[in-house]
Amino acid sequence: MLKTRMIGIKWLCLNIGLFRTIGIIFDIFLKNRRKRIVKFKFNDKKVKMLIRSEMTDLAMLTEIFCFEAYEIKKDISPELIVDGGANKGSTAIYFGLKYSNAKIHCYEPNVDLIPILKKNIELNNVNAEIFNEALSNRKGTLFFEVNENHQYSKLSDKETGFKVKAVSLNERYGGKKIDILKLDVEGEEEKIISSINFSRVPIGIIIQEIHHDRVNFEKIIKKLKGSSYLVEKPYPQYRLLNADEIYPILIAIKNHG
């Protein structure tokens, strides 16, 4: 983890600036959650992001743009990308820069993040539509429990937190093709994958963060392989994202052969 942090801090200093990085870290130390816009380049394109002075936001920047957690090493031209767990928009921006012709549907249940998500989409001219909804295994109302560390925010059937509208992929995208489905939904991934009717909702590539302490990884793999998906060999940078797990990120590609 020390090596990962050092690589991340070096990337921040080189890309958003030494003094800006120090200022954000100083704010974090003082628990001053000040908002600020950071600017950097990715793939020779300018990026602007509104962030808060929070460790999770620095981790988000390095995970997406330094380590490229959602890199797909295939020559593809997606038309529709579904971003489940859009948070503040970093992954949508990443995909928008790489696949400029794609339409991106951003799903984020945390209403407090929606204004920042909208601002970041606007700042980077991403072709995206935002839904203040949660992707789940069924349509209905769920409750969203917010944690200061967004990694531990989660959906629940219990009446704790605030109500959110939940939608299923079968309901929303029946008869439509999703080229890339990205999931980072804090443990809801297993329910979503298990519920998908792939004959109704054809999905080209599924890329998802795996919370091994919250999901049955083997069940997810079994469902995907049984639905004619090929699971990619883990990319080298995953060892930096989580050295304890072979699959911090899972990439499954539909086998049309």
Side-chain angles (χ1 to χ4, degrees):
M1 287 300 294
L2 179 60
K3 180 182 178 181
T4 301
R5 287 174 182 166
M6 293 306 296
I7 293 172
I9 290 171
K10 180 180 178 181
W11 183 89
L12 290 166
C13 291
L14 290 174
N15 286 273
I16 70 173
L18 174 62
F19 294 111
R20 178 59 62 92
T21 302
I22 291 172
I24 294 171
I25 293 173
F26 192 65
D27 276 346
I28 292 170
F29 179 75
L30 294 177
K31 297 184 178 180
N32 175 13
R33 301 175 68 204
R34 186 159 65 96
K35 292 180 181 178
R36 65 179 81 206
I37 292 176
V38 296
K39 302 176 183 180
F40 57 95
K41 281 190 175 182
F42 177 74
N43 283 1
D44 295 324
K45 295 178 182 177
K46 294 180 180 178
V47 180
K48 297 179 182 178
M49 281 204 67
L50 175 63
I51 66 169
R52 289 194 182 114
S53 295
E54 299 174 336
M55 195 60 72
T56 51
D57 279 20
L58 293 185
M60 170 188 69
L61 288 176
T62 55
E63 181 178 302
I64 303 302
F65 296 103
C66 173
F67 299 116
E68 292 198 60
Y70 293 106
E71 180 182 18
I72 299 171
K73 295 182 179 180
K74 298 289 179 184
D75 184 15
I76 55 174
S77 299
E79 295 181 6
L80 177 61
I81 299 171
V82 173
D83 182 1
N87 201 274
K88 295 174 183 173
S90 55
T91 308
I93 293 167
Y94 174 83
F95 283 141
L97 293 175
K98 293 197 73 171
Y99 310 116
S100 57
N101 293 325
K103 174 76 174 183
I104 304 173
H105 287 180
C106 299
Y107 288 85
E108 176 51 53
N110 189 344
V111 68
D112 293 335
L113 296 182
I114 295 298
I116 300 177
L117 173 57
K118 286 181 177 178
K119 182 66 175 179
N120 284 329
I121 293 301
E122 292 169 0
L123 284 171
N124 295 279
N125 297 313
V126 176
N127 182 16
E129 188 173 354
I130 296 170
F131 301 87
N132 182 203
E133 299 171 334
L135 289 183
S136 188
N137 60 335
R138 60 182 175 84
K139 175 183 177 181
T141 299
L142 293 173
F143 292 84
F144 190 72
E145 300 175 2
V146 179
N147 189 289
E148 283 190 14
N149 183 341
H150 301 308
Q151 213 174 19
Y152 297 101
S153 298
K154 62 180 182 179
L155 290 173
S156 174
D157 290 315
K158 301 175 182 178
E159 296 187 12
T160 56
F162 55 84
K163 290 182 179 180
V164 296
K165 180 182 177 182
V167 295
S168 73
L169 292 169
N170 297 329
E171 169 217 352
R172 183 61 55 86
Y173 295 100
K176 298 178 183 178
K177 183 178 185 293
I178 299 172
D179 295 294
I180 299 174
L181 170 64
K182 167 260 176 179
L183 295 174
D184 180 10
V185 287
E186 312 307 330
E188 200 76 3
E189 295 87 357
E190 181 185 335
K191 290 181 181 178
I192 293 172
I193 294 297
S194 297
S195 70
I196 298 173
N197 181 342
F198 288 107
S199 62
R200 286 193 64 208
V201 187
I203 302 173
I205 297 174
I206 298 171
I207 183 165
Q208 62 182 87
E209 185 168 346
I210 298 292
H211 301 276
H212 287 268
D213 58 335
R214 295 179 232 175
V215 300
N216 185 329
F217 178 67
E218 294 303 324
K219 186 176 179 181
I220 292 173
I221 290 287
K222 184 177 179 180
K223 167 76 175 185
L224 291 173
K225 289 185 175 180
S227 302
S228 301
Y229 281 87
L230 301 176
V231 176
E232 282 278 273
K233 182 180 178 182
Y235 295 164
Q237 65 261 41
Y238 297 170
R239 301 301 300 164
L240 292 170
L241 293 171
N242 187 340
D244 297 326
E245 299 290 350
I246 296 175
Y247 286 98
I249 304 289
L250 175 68
I251 305 176
I253 300 175
K254 186 70 172 180
N255 180 16
H256 295 288

